Amino acid sequence: MILVVFSVLLSACGFGPGSAISGPKDSGTIVVGSKNFSENIIVGDMEYYLLKAKLKGVNVENKANLGSTAVLWNALQSGQLDTYVDYTGTGLVDILKMPVTHNPDEAYQTVKKEYPTRYHIDWLNPMGFNDTYAVAVPKTIAEKYHLKKISDLAPIASQLVFGGEPDYFTRPDAYPGLSNTYGLHFQSLKQIDVGLKYQAAANNQVQVLDVYSTDGNLLRYGMTVLEDDKHFFPPYYAAPIVRESTLKAHPEISSILNSLQNTLTDSSMLQLNYQVDVQHKSPDDVAQQFLKSKGLL
């Protein structure tokens, strides 16, 4: 899912480590940004094409694949970007430094209230999908043990190997909390690099994986995402965030971008990610085709 961004490319685009866009932004231009992974590039492209088509008399520029959350956040605060799509869990924990909540509405209402007060940045309406952490198993394992939700793993976990990225086994909001919440005691735990974990499941080296709920590789490798029936994982609902000064100058931006409200489900976002990451379609083509399919372009 994550696209690698080399330092030489960042430099060529006016970026350096921990920096945003070099030089001041033209005040007459609306600049849309996106992070350095396929999903965020796709939804950023959706913002761009909607604004380009419907924001009359204004130049709109797309700065796709810029970097990490820190790069985008710094650029937005400094006025070098006007908008990008972020996730409620990221806003709550990484930006506001507030405790995790497992209530999706509470997470959204908190960021929506705090951002204007602290940063003069607004959260618009959620796009509908939740790209959170999840637990998945190969479909063959799901069928063999009749697995539909994470609780179903408890009785048979001792027969299975759990695979995850190294830091997943140390964070309290990941494996330690997950195992305590669900009473999971696996046969063994296996640390696997993010680029190899799906192949490890395909080769039966592991039978249970930590995943992101909208990862296109879930389709590629025939994985079944188990329902988080005890609501352990925090919500990461996606929504556009926009500078208040930009909305004041162009109030129509709210209604334009809010046309994306609830247009994407977890399943449809997974399909779009699959088209980019597995079928190697370009994010801008995928974004435009989706908007046309919804009658938005």
Side-chain angles (χ1 to χ4, degrees):
M1 172 172 153
I2 296 175
L3 301 178
V4 178
V5 183
F6 293 98
S7 59
V8 63
L9 294 177
L10 290 174
S11 299
C13 295
F15 286 80
S19 67
I21 303 169
S22 61
K25 177 176 79 72
D26 181 350
S27 60
T29 298
I30 301 298
V31 180
V32 180
S34 59
K35 303 185 190 184
N36 58 345
F37 58 95
S38 298
E39 176 176 285
N40 205 257
I41 296 171
I42 294 167
V43 293
D45 285 351
M46 290 181 191
E47 280 196 285
Y48 167 68
Y49 284 112
L50 276 177
L51 291 173
K52 185 179 180 183
K54 300 188 177 186
L55 194 59
K56 303 302 181 184
V58 180
N59 183 45
V60 182
E61 187 175 349
N62 194 17
K63 294 284 187 179
N65 193 11
L66 290 181
S68 67
T69 295
V71 172
L72 275 289
W73 179 242
N74 290 337
L76 191 69
Q77 285 189 292
S78 67
Q80 294 166 305
L81 289 180
D82 292 285
T83 180
Y84 67 90
V85 173
D86 213 346
Y87 304 85
T88 53
T90 302
L92 187 69
V93 177
D94 297 337
I95 303 299
L96 294 174
K97 309 299 183 185
M98 298 179 73
V100 171
T101 177
H102 299 279
N103 183 312
D105 291 333
E106 182 180 326
Y108 176 72
Q109 292 302 328
T110 298
V111 296
K112 188 171 179 61
K113 176 185 176 183
E114 294 293 332
Y115 267 54
T117 302
R118 299 191 191 189
Y119 311 115
H120 301 292
I121 291 168
D122 284 354
W123 280 75
L124 301 186
N125 297 343
M127 302 170 78
F129 70 94
N130 180 28
D131 183 6
T132 189
Y133 300 106
V135 172
V137 298
K139 286 182 180 178
T140 53
I141 298 294
E143 292 169 357
K144 179 179 179 179
Y145 294 105
H146 309 288
L147 303 176
K148 294 183 178 180
K149 52 187 187 293
I150 299 177
S151 290
D152 294 337
L153 282 171
I156 50 95
S158 61
Q159 304 173 50
L160 306 174
V161 178
F162 185 99
E165 297 157 58
D167 66 340
Y168 191 82
F169 295 105
T170 58
R171 298 198 324 267
D173 62 340
Y175 185 79
L178 176 71
S179 59
N180 288 336
T181 299
Y182 284 98
L184 301 176
H185 303 284
F186 289 99
Q187 180 185 103
S188 63
L189 306 177
K190 189 176 183 66
Q191 294 186 11
I192 312 173
D193 181 78
V194 62
L196 301 175
K197 64 183 182 180
Y198 285 99
Q199 192 62 47
N203 294 337
N204 201 35
Q205 294 173 295
V206 300
Q207 293 79 46
V208 188
L209 283 182
D210 82 285
V211 299
Y212 293 105
S213 57
T214 57
D215 190 344
N217 280 311
L218 294 168
L219 289 179
R220 179 183 182 184
Y221 287 93
M223 304 291 289
T224 296
V225 176
L226 302 180
E227 178 192 351
D228 181 15
D229 52 307
K230 294 189 177 181
H231 308 290
F232 169 73
F233 293 115
Y236 280 80
Y237 282 86
I241 61 174
V242 190
R243 290 175 53 83
E244 283 187 337
S245 59
T246 303
L247 292 174
K248 184 177 180 180
H250 305 283
E252 63 272 35
I253 286 176
S254 288
S255 59
I256 292 171
L257 295 183
N258 279 339
S259 66
L260 290 168
Q261 181 180 4
N262 293 331
T263 56
L264 284 156
T265 63
D266 294 1
S267 177
S268 60
M269 192 68 244
L270 186 153
Q271 291 281 350
L272 298 182
N273 287 332
Y274 176 82
Q275 290 179 42
V276 173
D277 290 332
V278 180
Q279 297 181 324
H280 306 297
K281 296 181 181 179
S282 68
D284 59 335
D285 286 345
V286 170
Q288 288 185 81
Q289 185 57 46
F290 175 82
L291 292 174
K292 290 174 182 177
S293 74
K294 295 295 182 180
L296 296 174
L297 276 187

